Amino acid sequence: MAPRLCSISAAARRLLGGPGSGPRDVVAVAAARFYSKDNEGSWFRSLFVHKVDPRKDAHSTLLSKKETSNLYKIQFHNVKPECLDAYNSLTEAVLPKLHLDEDYPCSLVGNWNTWYGEQDQAVHLWRFSGGYPALMDCMNKLKNNKEYLEFRKERSQMLLSRRNQLLLEFSFWNEPQPRAGPNIYELRTYKLKPGTMIEWGNNWARAIKYRQENQEAVGGFFSQIGELYVVHHLWAYKDLQSREETRNAAWRKRGWDENVYYTESSKKRKPKVIRSDGAPAEGKRTRSDTEQEGKYYSEEAEVDLRDPGRDYELYKYTCQELQRLMAEIQDLKSRGGKDAAVEIEDRRIQSCVHFMTLKKLNRLAHIRLKKGRDQTHEAKQKVDAYHLQLQNLLYEVMHLQKEITKCLEFKSKHEEIDLVSLEEFYKEAPPDISKAEVTMGDPHQQTLARLDWELEQRKRLAEKYRECLSNKEKILKEIEVKKEYLSSLQPRLNSIMQASLPVQEYLFMPFDQAHKQYETARHLPPPLYVLFVQATAYGQACDKMLSVAIEGSVDEAKALFKPPEDSQDDESDSDAEEEQTTKRRRPTLGVQLDDKRKEMLKRHPLSVLLDLKCKDDSVLHLTFYYLMNLNIMTVKARVTTATELITPISAGDLLSPDSVLSCLYPGDHGKKTPNPANQYQFDKVGILTLRDYVLDLGHPYLWVQKLGGLHFPKEQPQHTVITDHSLSASHMETTMKLLKTRVQSRLALHKQFASLEHGIVPVTSDCHYLFPAKVVSRLVKWVTIAHEDYTELHFTKDIVEAGLAGDTNLYYMALVERGTAKLQAAVVLNPGYSSIPPIFQLCLNWKGEKTNNNDDNIRAMESEVNVCYKELCGPRPGHQLLTNQLQRLCVLLDVYLETESHDDSVEGPKEFPQEKMCLRLFRGPSRIKPFKYNHPQGFFSHR
């Protein structure tokens, strides 16, 4: 065995060694075995001679892989020592190009330089996918490759000698695959006896499993062209120590030594010649030699003639005789005597003869054992050959089964064609194609006829298609001509529109501005677009004072519909530099949630502005927004007047943007999102409710969603909410009227509160008839109170328990005095005033505290104000209701005090003399006083 150390090239490093560079990761050990001496072991092992039956199949057919059809070529180049580095550089520059070029059906498995073995030697292993045709194709192409021819010419100046072989893979061996390095590689070469290749393959098919645990087996090959009966095994190890441990571990496995033993007999050995003195040279045999050979005694020939049973009986008899003779010799020695020595010598001679018999029987037994093992091994060799044939046949069967399955699963192209039905076929197809008399009984002819008819139809359709294409080209030409005419018409229209601007301004017909608005409206989201269209239509048809406009950045709106540009490549260099110079601090969880909340509450860059003008020149400015991620609309409101208003203290919340539109429809306070899906979105980013964000985003009233055509059913939630123009149109007129009414009522309350804070109850001339001419009680105080303060009043519990004191209402406290009597009135003002009347709760401080719980007349006074409010509404739209209720309350206090009975024990005049005319002072067990004023008679009566 001649070991070789090799350094591997860059190409082989990529294919077998994995990444890395340097001498440590590219070491390979190659060894070639040449056997010339007989194995001098036990004489049994030397007697085994394998006989192989002649075969009719080639070794390559039985041993190689049929499914890959790969052919390998191994090259051994002996390089001049001074040219080794230049040779490696040259091969690394040229050979990988052939490996990577797809035009050449070859791939470079590996390049090595020998370390141990033949020094200054390079080894190359090529793979040709496709067998000999691929090899010839590659050789023909290389003859025309100028770069490769120059490479060969330059390489020839560096070489001392070279040789190569064409190899095939063993079917049971791994195919060479890339593996992670660093590794060293050992190439072991065996030269076999002719005719023992199959025996070698059978033994190594079993032995390879002992060398697979560490994945050291790279490839196994046998020569096909070149020096024949040569086998190459390629192994990979991490280092020499790993090689030693791996090989020792294999010898410790049961069965490995037996396989090695059986492969030893297949190796080629030099003939061993034994000569005696004066013996003629081999090959010069004389007649006397031939005659002398026949006189030799051969125990091997005698074994075939002897009966083993008789030899066994002879063996037992000889042993018994030896025992007897030994006993007699011992007995003679014990007795002694003059004649004992002669008898002992006689028996000793007899014992020696028996010992010679035993030695002969022993030799015969060993010869029989050798022949038995030879016969067993020959039978085993036949079984292995049959087993190999069986495996090949099973592979062929599996291959044929796959081909049969493919054939059974084969689908013709005509099965994909949707043919017309049989009834339609026989009805429409001409007789020369349908051939009913032939096709009705023959499915095959019927299918062919249907395919002919399909072809005929398709030809007709193709002709019609060509006609349509020609017509289409004519129409396209006409369209191009008209487009050119229209494109030339556009500048003229623009000049006409520009010239007509003064006329538009004079006639109040801003067509150009409207056109720009409609161009901008194309970029609105669907809900805002529906609102814009419907509000514009309503303004043109019903309310000329309604103006609609669009605000915001059109460029940002356009950017929302453009795909994001991939700027990652442009900024990759700068990002890499920033990462090297600075360390970015990872945002905390709170910052991430804030960013997610801002993204979720993001508004569309465009908004719709509605200006609703009232009769008193006051304007309600409404700005509608669309929250893209929540799919809802919000609104912000602002009221302006023609003249600057002096805001009373109690009127602070009347025109505030947060409450001016609250409860425009009952229960619609705009603090909660109308989309049920938003709650799940809020949970992901930690938003508890939308109430905390309405001041910045606007209020998501339900009527706002309907104006935008959005509807969120609660019983059956929809995955995608679609805008509906009809929904917006059905609510537009009603909502606009309610908005005007709300603004007018709030402005009326604003003016009234300014008078009430100065103690003046403003009563219009249209409502003077509702009250007597003289009212003594006066309003001395009018202030606003908080909802919490209202609920803590002891005389308002009935209203709170009845659920009439919601947090969306406005709360006020009025104080009416007359003399020592003080009447407190807690007022609940609903946002829907004046369609929903205010609610009064009374508490009289005069001769004690009197409320509706301890005084029936106080309850009657509350009924006069709260229940009989329709008498106090005055002319439409009823904005004087609150002031009329307060004036009525003053009148009722006068009646209550004047009709109270005088205490005779108290001297002096009556504190509250009766000035009102009453038919009866009291009625009923509860002694209810006459609180109803009768106009025009001017007296008070009971209801």
Side-chain angles (χ1 to χ4, degrees), residues 126-162:
W126 293 85
R127 181 194 292 116
F128 297 91
S129 301
Y132 291 105
L135 174 64
M136 298 305 297
D137 184 24
C138 186
M139 292 175 63
N140 293 331
K141 290 181 178 179
L142 289 176
K143 291 179 181 179
N144 300 322
N145 191 332
K146 295 182 179 179
E147 183 180 1
Y148 182 77
L149 295 176
E150 293 176 0
F151 160 75
R152 289 190 61 180
K153 183 177 180 181
E154 186 177 357
R155 184 188 65 183
S156 63
Q157 300 174 3
M158 305 178 185
L159 299 181
L160 296 173
S161 64
R162 57 193 180 97

Side-chain angles (χ1 to χ4, degrees), residues 292-572:
Q292 191 175 1
E293 285 182 358
K295 299 178 182 180
Y296 288 158
Y297 170 73
S298 175
E299 287 185 346
E300 294 183 359
E302 186 181 359
V303 167
D304 297 334
L305 302 176
R306 295 176 65 95
D307 184 10
R310 290 185 179 182
D311 288 345
Y312 178 66
E313 294 295 334
L314 178 60
Y315 165 74
K316 291 194 296 181
Y317 170 75
T318 305
C319 292
Q320 292 174 1
E321 288 297 316
L322 281 173
Q323 291 176 358
R324 182 181 61 78
L325 291 173
M326 292 299 108
E328 290 178 357
I329 291 173
Q330 185 179 3
D331 184 51
L332 289 174
K333 284 185 177 183
S334 61
R335 287 186 299 174
K338 297 180 179 180
D339 299 331
V342 178
E343 294 180 2
I344 288 174
E345 184 65 24
D346 182 45
R347 284 171 174 74
R348 186 176 296 168
I349 293 173
Q350 294 179 16
S351 297
C352 289
V353 174
H354 286 305
F355 273 116
M356 294 297 293
T357 303
L358 286 178
K359 288 186 69 176
K360 179 178 181 179
L361 292 175
N362 182 48
R363 290 195 302 274
L364 294 176
H366 281 290
I367 292 173
R368 287 193 182 98
L369 179 60
K370 173 183 173 297
K371 288 188 175 183
R373 294 183 68 173
D374 289 343
Q375 292 174 0
T376 302
H377 188 68
E378 290 176 1
K380 185 178 180 182
Q381 184 180 5
K382 291 182 180 180
V383 171
D384 290 341
Y386 292 147
H387 180 72
L388 187 59
Q389 281 185 331
L390 176 61
Q391 295 298 327
N392 292 335
L393 291 174
L394 290 177
Y395 177 82
E396 294 291 342
V397 170
M398 182 180 66
H399 177 71
L400 292 175
Q401 287 178 347
K402 290 182 179 179
E403 293 298 324
I404 292 171
T405 303
K406 289 181 181 178
C407 293
L408 293 177
E409 294 178 353
F410 174 76
K411 291 185 178 180
S412 178
K413 288 293 183 180
H414 80 275
E415 296 180 6
E416 302 176 0
I417 301 175
D418 188 13
L419 300 176
V420 298
S421 62
L422 289 174
E423 296 179 358
E424 187 178 352
F425 168 68
Y426 285 111
K427 182 178 180 181
E428 296 181 358
D432 58 336
I433 294 180
S434 61
K435 300 178 182 178
E437 65 280 357
V438 178
T439 59
M440 291 293 286
D442 190 348
H444 176 66
Q445 294 295 332
Q446 187 181 71
T447 303
L448 293 178
R450 294 175 68 186
L451 290 173
D452 291 339
W453 175 236
E454 182 71 20
L455 177 62
E456 183 65 25
Q457 286 183 315
R458 293 195 176 193
K459 288 181 178 179
R460 296 176 183 176
L461 291 175
E463 185 65 28
K464 186 180 293 184
Y465 172 72
R466 287 191 290 270
E467 294 178 0
C468 293
L469 282 180
S470 60
N471 294 333
K472 179 183 176 181
E473 292 177 357
K474 293 178 181 179
I475 295 173
L476 287 176
K477 290 180 180 178
E478 295 177 0
I479 292 174
E480 290 297 328
V481 172
K482 293 180 179 180
K483 280 184 177 180
E484 292 178 0
Y485 172 74
L486 291 176
S487 60
S488 63
L489 186 61
Q490 183 64 34
R492 299 179 184 177
L493 292 177
N494 292 336
S495 60
I496 293 173
M497 292 294 295
Q498 191 68 25
S500 64
L501 287 178
V503 179
Q504 295 179 27
E505 294 176 0
Y506 181 77
L507 297 178
F508 301 101
M509 300 174 67
F511 295 115
D512 187 61
Q513 183 179 358
H515 177 71
K516 292 181 180 179
Q517 287 284 340
Y518 280 110
E519 285 294 325
T520 306
R522 294 171 52 191
H523 306 287
L524 288 172
L528 291 181
Y529 180 78
V530 171
L531 172 64
F532 174 79
V533 172
Q534 296 298 332
T536 304
Y538 176 78
Q540 294 175 355
C542 303
D543 190 354
K544 301 296 183 181
M545 305 298 290
L546 176 65
S547 64
V548 184
I550 299 175
E551 291 184 346
S553 174
V554 179
D555 295 335
E556 293 182 10
K558 291 179 180 179
L560 293 176
F561 297 96
K562 291 182 179 179
E565 296 180 357
D566 190 9
S567 60
Q568 185 177 1
D569 297 337
D570 299 337
E571 300 177 357
S572 59

